Amino acid sequence: MSRTTAIELAAALRRDLHRYSPGEKLPSSRDLVQQHQVSPVTVSRAIAALVAEGLVVSRPGAGVFRAGSRSTAAPAGDTSWQEVALSAEAGAPPVRSTDASGVLASLRLAPPEVIDLNSGYLHPSLQPERALAGALARAGRRPGAWSRPPLEGLPELRAWFARDIADGLTASDVLIAAGGQSALSAALRSLAPPGAPVLVESPTYPGILAIARAAGLRPVPVPMDADGLRTDLLAEAFAASGARLLVCQPLFQNPTGAVLAPERRLEVLRIARAAGAFVVEDDFARRLVHADAPALPAPLAADDPDGVVVHIRSLTKATSPNLRVAALAARGPALARLRAVQVVDAFFVPRPLQEAALELVAAPAWPQHLRALTAALRERRTALAGALTGLRPELMPAQLPYGGYQLWLRLPDALTPESVTAAALRAGVAVTAGGPYFTAEPPGPCLRLSYAYAESTDQLAEGARRLDRALAEAG
């Protein structure tokens, strides 16, 4: 086949549209493949471009038709489905690529003179440092603290995680992992072979995309809205891609902060069961709820007796980046797969760290820390959102998150996230560009702002002022 691109093919089809009357059917995709000697994916992308321009209308099962003339502008349509259509490329060979740029950006520490609205970890003033120090000291004195632990993890810690995740889980359903990122890596490599597609939320945490690509998987986006994952597009995404795995963050999703709506929770499980697929539930932010939040929904794992859900729960985000202790909960043969990958990767999580985690969650200081953290996160969210609302109200989301640690801002189309982040750094504030959170072309320019790592609410307000100056410079 020739090396004709989707852009070139779209231009050729655009030139030929005068040959068709409004409403007349265009040649089929198969005919276009043969006529222009291109791949089906190139045809799909070219047609999608013409649909987006309003030149043609695509009717699933019927074909593509020249659009009729309109005397008045029609309401803007919802083209979110194109993210799936443009990404579900069947038959692609497995390509392993390790692109850690998105992860490195979130881990990079800002210089002391720069206000950090980038990091996803708690500022040291929010970490339970005294409680952690005490837990580590007590753990070191436990009999056998330095002996080799069971490969699956300490039974007592596995049992605690089982109780913490959902009723009905037992210690035998849980494996201890070295943090949430390690757990995600084990889950994706256990549940999908190289070359397979994997459905991801769009936008999503860049670490998920990096893991998938490093494992030779093909991330396929499923769009989101204010109520979380678009379940009206999920079944189509499974069917179009052939995926047997979905990775999602139903609670305080990173980066949007969205919570999966109650009516969509069971729908996700129903659709996944029908597709014969697993759901990896990354419940990373459950301990980052804000003090003004309503009652939290139970995890998806609580409504799943059939082993569809592989649940990930970590202690890291609510404590310290150094307490890399997490749980993988699964049922059935999947658990054996997870265990095998874990053993090959790291043998086991160091026992002193597991013992320290047990000491921490059993101490009276643990619930005290969580209460203080929920109040502090609400205060920080309010401070940053309030400052931004006063300066740039047009950027603010319609609804503020009531958990997590970030705000997701939609920039004007005239700005690029890269120019804004560069201008922000010159102004003395570090923010995160939205591009790495998408696996396909972003629908628009976005920024993520974190309020977890700034020193104080005053610094958050100053960070908003510096960002305002950067936006003026970039615009």
Side-chain angles (χ1 to χ4, degrees):
M1 291 193 177
S2 72
R3 297 183 62 84
T4 301
T5 67
I7 294 175
E8 293 168 339
L9 179 58
L13 296 177
R14 199 179 291 113
R15 289 192 299 269
D16 291 342
L17 277 179
H18 70 277
R19 301 179 182 177
Y20 304 93
S21 303
E24 185 177 355
K25 185 176 180 180
L26 273 64
S28 69
S29 295
R30 180 177 297 178
D31 291 340
L32 292 174
V33 166
Q34 295 175 349
Q35 179 183 346
H36 295 274
Q37 289 297 290
V38 294
S39 72
V41 173
T42 299
V43 171
S44 175
R45 290 176 174 169
I47 293 297
L50 299 186
V51 170
E53 295 172 22
L55 299 177
V56 301
V57 176
S58 177
R59 298 171 187 160
V64 177
F65 303 81
R66 180 179 173 181
S69 58
R70 289 177 288 185
S71 57
T72 58
D78 180 3
T79 59
S80 298
W81 63 270
Q82 292 182 4
E83 290 196 62
V84 178
L86 293 174
S87 302
E89 182 176 352
V95 177
R96 296 177 185 267
S97 63
T98 305
D99 179 6
S101 57
V103 179
L104 290 173
S106 65
L107 293 176
R108 190 174 295 118
L109 289 175
E113 68 275 10
V114 173
I115 295 174
D116 194 335
L117 301 185
N118 173 64
S119 176
Y121 290 115
L122 299 179
H123 187 267
S125 63
L126 299 181
Q127 296 176 21
E129 290 188 338
R130 291 182 62 184
L132 284 167
L136 191 60
R138 293 191 301 274
R141 295 193 296 268
R142 282 189 171 199
W146 292 92
S147 63
R148 192 178 76 179
L151 297 179
E152 298 84 357
L154 296 180
E156 300 91 342
L157 185 58
R158 295 164 66 200
W160 180 85
F161 270 116
R163 293 191 301 272
D164 191 55
I165 294 169
D167 293 338
L169 284 179
T170 67
S172 62
D173 299 318
V174 174
L175 302 173
I176 302 301
Q181 188 76 0
S182 176
L184 279 167
S185 180
L188 266 65
R189 290 187 296 114
S190 299
L191 303 174
V198 54
L199 302 187
V200 298
E201 296 165 319
S202 183
T204 192
Y205 164 53
I208 292 173
L209 301 179
I211 289 169
R213 288 166 177 152
L217 305 177
R218 296 187 292 110
V220 176
V222 182
M224 299 185 61
D225 59 21
D227 290 324
L229 189 72
R230 288 275 303 274
T231 50
D232 59 321
L233 300 175
L234 184 58
E236 296 176 18
F238 274 123
S241 66
R244 293 295 179 266
L245 182 62
L246 162 69
V247 186
C248 61
Q249 297 175 328
L251 188 66
F252 311 136
Q253 194 259 359
N254 183 11
T256 65
V259 176
L260 188 63
E263 63 273 14
R264 296 186 183 182
R265 289 168 47 83
L266 293 179
E267 189 69 359
V268 167
L269 297 179
R270 184 194 66 77
I271 292 171
R273 284 193 191 97
F278 289 99
V279 175
V280 174
E281 180 183 22
D282 180 16
D283 202 14
F284 77 103
R286 188 162 291 268
R287 298 300 186 188
L288 303 179
V289 62
H290 299 172
D292 56 354
L296 298 186
L300 297 180
D303 296 319
D304 169 45
D306 303 325
V308 171
V309 176
V310 173
H311 184 92
I312 296 174
R313 177 77 58 89
S314 174
L315 291 173
T316 306
K317 288 293 188 183
T319 56
S320 163
N322 294 296
L323 188 63
R324 306 209 63 77
V325 175
L328 275 161
R331 291 187 171 103
L335 188 64
R337 287 273 191 98
L338 291 163
R339 180 180 181 273
V341 170
Q342 285 251 102
V343 170
V344 170
D345 276 357
F347 293 170
F348 48 79
V349 177
R351 182 164 188 152
L353 202 58
Q354 294 191 56
E355 298 279 10
L358 261 177
E359 288 285 350
L360 176 69
V361 299
W366 176 240
Q368 295 170 8
H369 162 65
L370 293 179
R371 286 194 296 272
L373 181 59
T374 61
L377 289 173
R378 177 187 61 179
E379 184 180 21
R380 285 164 170 258
R381 178 208 65 201
T382 302
L384 180 58
L388 286 170
T389 300
L391 296 166
R392 299 274 178 167
E394 69 278 7
L395 302 184
M396 298 301 294
Q399 180 177 336
L400 293 178
Y402 55 85
Y405 51 81
Q406 73 275 340
L407 298 178
W408 184 242
L409 308 185
R410 177 68 156 82
L411 296 174
D413 289 337
L415 296 178
T416 64
E418 293 74 20
S419 66
V420 173
T421 54
L425 204 56
R426 291 192 293 271
V429 59
V431 297
T432 310
Y437 291 81
F438 294 90
T439 185
E441 295 85 355
C446 297
L447 284 184
R448 193 199 74 158
L449 308 184
S450 168
Y451 43 86
Y453 202 76
E455 290 185 3
S456 64
T457 54
D458 288 342
Q459 195 178 68
L460 288 169
E462 174 60 23
R465 289 189 286 271
R466 295 183 185 185
L467 178 59
D468 178 55
R469 294 197 293 271
L471 289 165
E473 176 190 331

